[in-house]
Amino acid sequence: MPELPEVEVTLRGISPQLKGRLITGVVVREPRLRWRVQDAVGRVAGREIRALRRRGKYILLDCGDGHLIFHLGMSGSLRLLEQATPPQKHDHFDLQLGELTLRLRDPRRFGAVIWTDQSPDTHPLLRHLGVEPLTRAFDGRRLHALTRGLRSAIKQTLMDSSRVVGVGNIYANESLFLAGIHPATRAGRLSLARCISLAAATKKVLRDAIRAGGSSLRDFVGSDGRPGYFQQRYRVYDRAGEPCRCCGTPIRRQVQGQRATFYCPSCQR
DNA sequence: CTCGCCACCTGGGGGC
DNA sequence: TGCCCCCAGGTGGCGA
């Protein structure tokens, strides 16, 4: 699923082409996404896309008197088509911009398309989002403060979007490996030094993934529709039983909060 | 507030 | 070949 890097890569892919464009039409083929696509979404034609930005894993299109908000869920992708192409299975939504089409494909329908005339940051879905990991506001000190008093595992805390946004299962595993921290460590017990290390590792993992052009989910597709993603070389994710790239110890898999966790029992303490 | 867990949905892979 | 089960992913929402 798209984690922050995939969403960021998508945003960068579509922004230059969409900015300043007039929305000329909307096609909702399947309104049953995570939330039923409201009728208001169908009436956004005639507006100009003034700006695009990302908040957590949400993509926000500023349309002047409101915002169109996209979330890619676990299997969504947005692609920009230069010419009309017949929709395929799971192509649930199109935004038409003259000859351009922005198309949402989402086999599992966990994604969302939302219209809001509020300030998007106060929208119920975005209001409680935590700090952006790639900003200066997110550092070891902040992470340390955020985790005080918490008894839950640091991996789950890192994935908790009300504290830090954008870090999903893959990059949580990778960040903890880079920082040398065992994923089950209680968040509240991490020293400041370890929080500094983890914040830096998280930034590095996310930045590297963005640089690599997104990630890795098999069905993730960039905004130009290029399926061949530079598959990233994971250090621990999905490598159960394989040797740690650092020390050779077999990578271990364990379930935390109904989610697979991968770690090196020797490098991560 | 925190925590643990369920639900939502579909395609792909493995086992038989 | 077909069938069945399990799994992946993000996150809102529930009850304790």
Side-chain angles (χ1 to χ4, degrees):
Chain A
M1 155 351 351
E3 298 185 26
L4 185 150
E6 292 75 16
V7 177
E8 180 65 25
V9 167
T10 296
L11 177 72
R12 292 182 189 184
I14 65 176
S15 283
Q17 305 241 57
L18 292 197
K19 191 167 180 201
R21 281 254 176 190
L22 185 68
I23 299 173
T24 54
V26 176
V27 181
V28 181
R29 292 185 201 85
E30 172 56 87
R32 296 173 304 161
L33 303 184
R34 175 75 196 259
W35 294 281
R36 170 164 278 270
V37 178
Q38 310 114 302
D39 295 340
V41 171
R43 297 192 291 265
V44 300
R47 292 173 173 86
E48 178 196 330
I49 300 175
R50 297 190 179 177
L52 299 91
R53 67 183 171 102
R54 178 186 60 73
R55 175 74 177 107
K57 295 173 189 165
Y58 292 91
I59 290 176
L60 312 178
L61 273 55
D62 180 352
C63 297
D65 61 346
H67 284 73
L68 204 50
I69 304 176
F70 291 93
H71 194 289
L72 302 181
M74 296 207 279
S75 60
S77 61
L78 281 172
R79 63 186 77 190
L80 214 38
L81 308 171
E82 306 280 341
Q83 56 200 12
T85 308
Q88 296 178 26
K89 201 177 178 184
H90 308 305
D91 284 345
H92 305 312
F93 179 88
D94 283 355
L95 200 60
Q96 292 167 336
L97 310 121
E99 71 279 14
L100 280 183
T101 301
L102 181 70
R103 179 164 287 173
L104 173 71
R105 174 172 301 175
D106 186 3
R108 285 163 215 174
R109 295 197 275 120
F110 280 6
V113 183
I114 292 159
W115 170 260
T116 179
D117 47 21
Q118 308 173 36
S119 151
D121 295 302
T122 64
H123 188 278
L125 290 175
L126 283 78
R127 193 188 309 163
H128 302 290
L129 294 180
V131 64
E132 286 285 339
L134 292 179
T135 61
R136 298 175 72 167
F138 179 70
D139 60 9
R141 195 163 294 279
R142 179 71 173 271
L143 182 58
H144 189 254
L146 273 171
T147 51
R148 289 315 86 187
L150 300 184
R151 298 176 53 78
S152 46
I154 183 58
K155 187 199 168 215
Q156 288 165 266
T157 304
L158 201 53
M159 292 173 64
D160 176 355
S161 64
S162 71
R163 301 180 195 282
V164 183
V165 295
V167 185
N169 198 34
I170 296 172
Y171 299 120
N173 279 298
E174 296 294 298
S175 300
L176 286 162
F177 174 80
L178 264 199
I181 297 170
H182 193 292
T185 309
R186 288 191 193 280
R189 305 201 55 138
L190 283 179
S191 65
L192 176 58
R194 304 196 94 195
C195 286
I196 290 171
S197 161
L198 181 54
T202 302
K203 284 176 195 271
K204 174 172 169 48
V205 163
L206 295 176
R207 286 200 182 110
D208 286 352
I210 290 169
R211 201 170 303 131
S215 126
S216 54
L217 211 47
R218 290 175 202 77
D219 45 4
F220 177 74
V221 181
S223 62
D224 57 358
R226 219 173 3 156
Y229 249 69
F230 317 88
Q231 177 85 14
Q232 270 190 269
R233 237 172 104 84
Y234 293 130
R235 296 176 171 89
V236 288
Y237 180 77
D238 206 21
R239 295 193 63 237
E242 295 174 43
C244 171
R245 301 194 197 283
C246 189
C247 73
T249 304
I251 298 301
R252 224 170 257 179
R253 178 186 193 274
Q254 153 184 335
V255 175
Q256 272 182 298
Q258 303 127 267
R259 206 112 283 179
T261 294
F262 303 89
Y263 67 101
C264 169
S266 167
C267 295
Q268 296 173 257
R269 299 287 180 173

